[in-house]
Amino acid sequence: DFSLLTGTERLWYTVQSLIDGVCNGGVISLYINYGTEHIHETIADLITLGFPDVADLLKQVNALFPGSEPSQDIDERNEAVGAWDCEHDEFLEKCGMQFYARCD
């Protein structure tokens, strides 16, 4: 239960989920699979760790969704991503490259 995690546990969980998602399919992988349910916490935790630039990448990806808010429902998120019809592929690839540059 995510709500029962301590601050440190939550931070580890959100950031590790981000790393796993991006490293297993790029930034979009985080959004088309599970992990986006806690995207706002992930952004806050990245800022806490001193990675506001990575947090900004996620905010930019969030802005691609209707209302600048990815749905909590995985099927709705996937439907939204499917409607993009590759129009954001270059942007998402650039985000991935920026993320990988900060991985170390």
Side-chain angles (χ1 to χ4, degrees):
D1 186 350
F2 186 81
S3 66
L4 297 177
L5 297 176
T6 67
T8 303
E9 291 169 335
R10 183 192 101 168
L11 191 142
W12 182 88
Y13 177 84
T14 59
V15 174
Q16 190 61 50
S17 294
L18 169 66
I19 292 168
D20 289 348
V22 175
C23 290
N24 288 307
V27 172
I28 197 60
S29 180
L30 180 67
Y31 290 86
I32 61 174
N33 296 302
Y34 294 98
T36 307
E37 296 79 10
H38 306 293
I39 197 67
H40 296 292
E41 292 88 347
T42 303
I43 290 169
D45 291 342
L46 287 166
I47 292 168
T48 297
L49 288 172
F51 297 103
D53 54 328
V54 179
D56 286 342
L57 290 175
L58 296 182
K59 290 176 189 177
Q60 291 174 41
V61 176
N62 287 354
L64 301 176
F65 288 87
S68 296
E69 185 68 33
S71 174
Q72 291 292 305
D73 181 88
I74 191 169
D75 294 326
E76 289 177 11
R77 282 196 312 272
N78 281 309
E79 186 176 314
V81 170
W84 295 346
D85 197 30
C86 302
E87 72 180 278
H88 301 300
D89 286 357
E90 187 176 320
F91 168 73
L92 292 168
E93 187 172 324
K94 178 182 151 200
C95 287
M97 291 182 346
Q98 290 174 329
F99 177 83
Y100 293 128
R102 295 289 281 149
C103 276
D104 290 340

